Amino acid sequence: MTQTYWIETLGCPKNQVDSEKLAGKLGSDGYIPAADASEADLVVVNTCAFIDQARQESIDTTLALAEDRREGSRLVVTGCMAERYGSELAAALPEVDAVVGFGRELAPEQESLPQRKLIPVASAALPDFDLLNLPRPKSSSPWAYVKIAEGCDRACGFCAIPSFRGPQRSRSIAEICAEVDMLSAQEIVLVAQDLAAFGRDQGKGERQIVELVDAVSDLVPWTRLLYLYPSDLTDTLIEAIFRTGVPYFDLSL
C-alpha cells in the first residue's frame, strides 16, 4: 500500500524550500502527499530555531500534531531545532518517533539521532543526501523561492545560524538556473542567509551575485532578492536589480 506524508513547515522561506525538497525526496521514495496531517503515515515537522518564539511555536506545533496523528503513523522532527538541539529535543519530546538533522533520511527505520557535532559544511562529507541540491517538484504557484546558498560566514552576535547551518556553501549558477527552469514559475525569489556573499566560498570573486541575478532574470519575467546586507550594496548590484523586472530588495537590519 502506498505510504502518505505530511510536511508542516515553520520559519523562513529557506525552510519552505527545504520542505519542498524533502517532499521531492519522499516522492522519489514512493510516498504521496496526504490530504491532512491526521491521515498521513509520515508526519514531518520542519522546525525553526531562530528566536524563542519560533522555538516555542515549533514545540507547540509538534505536540499538536502528535495529539492529532492517527495510530500507527510516524512523527519526525527535522529542521533547525533538530540540528541545533538534537538529543535534548528528542529527550524533551517522547511523543516524537525521530529527531533528524539536515540531510538525514526520514525512513521508518530511522532512530532518534544524538546531537551531532558541528562539522563545517563546506569541507565535510555530505550526510545521507544533499538537501541544498535536491530536486524539487514544479511550483504550484506563479512564484517560487530558490535557495542559492546554505550557511553564513558572518559572526553576528545576535544570530546562531552559522553554528548549526555551517559556513557559506554556494551552489553553482548552472544548478540554480536548472532549478529555476524546472519550477516553471513567472517570479523567482532568490534566498540565502547572505545573498551578496554568493560565490565567495568558491573563490570566484566578490560579486558573483550580479552574474547570478542576470542569469535568472534571463529566464523569468521577475526576480526578487531577499536578505541583502546594506554594506554589500554596490552600484553594479543595484543596476542588476533594476534589470530584474522588480526594482526591489530586502535588507537584513
Side-chain angles (χ1 to χ4, degrees):
M1 183 176 178
T2 302
Q3 297 283 290
T4 60
Y5 72 87
W6 178 272
I7 301 177
E8 192 75 23
T9 305
L10 303 168
C12 68
K14 297 185 292 295
N15 260 20
Q16 180 63 46
V17 173
D18 287 349
S19 288
E20 291 177 11
K21 296 203 169 192
L22 288 174
K25 176 70 167 58
L26 289 170
S28 69
D29 291 341
Y31 285 78
I32 62 173
D36 186 82
S38 62
E39 301 174 6
D41 297 298
L42 173 65
V43 180
V44 179
V45 187
N46 190 1
T47 58
C48 179
F50 188 58
I51 58 176
D52 287 342
Q53 292 93 326
R55 291 190 285 272
Q56 188 60 53
E57 182 186 19
S58 293
I59 292 171
D60 291 345
T61 299
T62 299
L63 292 175
L65 289 168
E67 181 74 20
D68 292 340
R69 66 170 169 158
R70 68 172 182 77
E71 185 176 354
S73 66
R74 184 171 177 80
L75 178 59
V76 176
V77 173
T78 188
C80 293
M81 277 197 76
E83 185 73 12
R84 187 177 184 185
Y85 297 108
S87 57
E88 179 184 346
L89 188 62
L93 293 174
E95 299 86 353
V96 169
D97 296 295
V99 175
V100 302
F102 302 131
R104 298 296 177 180
E105 292 289 351
L106 307 176
E109 65 270 18
Q110 183 82 32
E111 298 294 335
S112 294
L113 297 177
Q115 187 171 6
R116 295 188 289 118
K117 290 178 63 178
L118 174 65
I119 302 174
V121 176
S123 60
L126 293 171
D128 299 330
F129 52 83
D130 181 6
L131 185 60
L132 182 60
N133 288 303
L134 276 181
R136 57 197 281 208
K138 181 179 177 180
S139 178
S140 59
S141 67
W143 59 274
Y145 294 111
V146 172
K147 188 191 289 189
I148 68 171
E150 185 62 278
C152 183
D153 290 334
R154 294 180 184 266
C156 302
F158 59 84
C159 181
I161 286 176
S163 70
F164 54 88
R165 286 281 184 179
Q168 174 102 3
R169 180 164 67 97
S170 301
R171 303 172 68 187
S172 72
I173 292 177
E175 288 170 337
I176 295 166
C177 287
E179 182 172 318
V180 168
D181 194 49
M182 179 276 302
L183 288 168
S184 298
Q186 293 296 297
E187 180 177 338
I188 293 296
V189 186
L190 301 178
V191 296
Q193 199 60 40
D194 186 358
L195 268 181
F198 174 77
R200 290 177 189 168
D201 54 298
Q202 299 173 337
K204 295 182 179 179
E206 289 291 303
R207 288 291 173 261
Q208 283 290 295
I209 185 63
V210 173
E211 182 181 346
L212 173 63
V213 170
D214 283 338
V216 173
S217 296
D218 286 341
L219 298 174
V220 295
W222 302 292
T223 305
R224 291 182 188 264
L225 282 71
L226 291 187
Y227 310 127
L228 286 171
Y229 284 85
S231 58
D232 283 326
L233 279 175
T234 64
D235 290 343
T236 304
L237 180 53
I238 291 173
E239 289 168 3
I241 292 170
F242 273 109
R243 294 191 292 270
T244 63
V246 186
Y248 161 94
F249 53 87
D250 193 271
L251 292 176
S252 297
L253 297 176

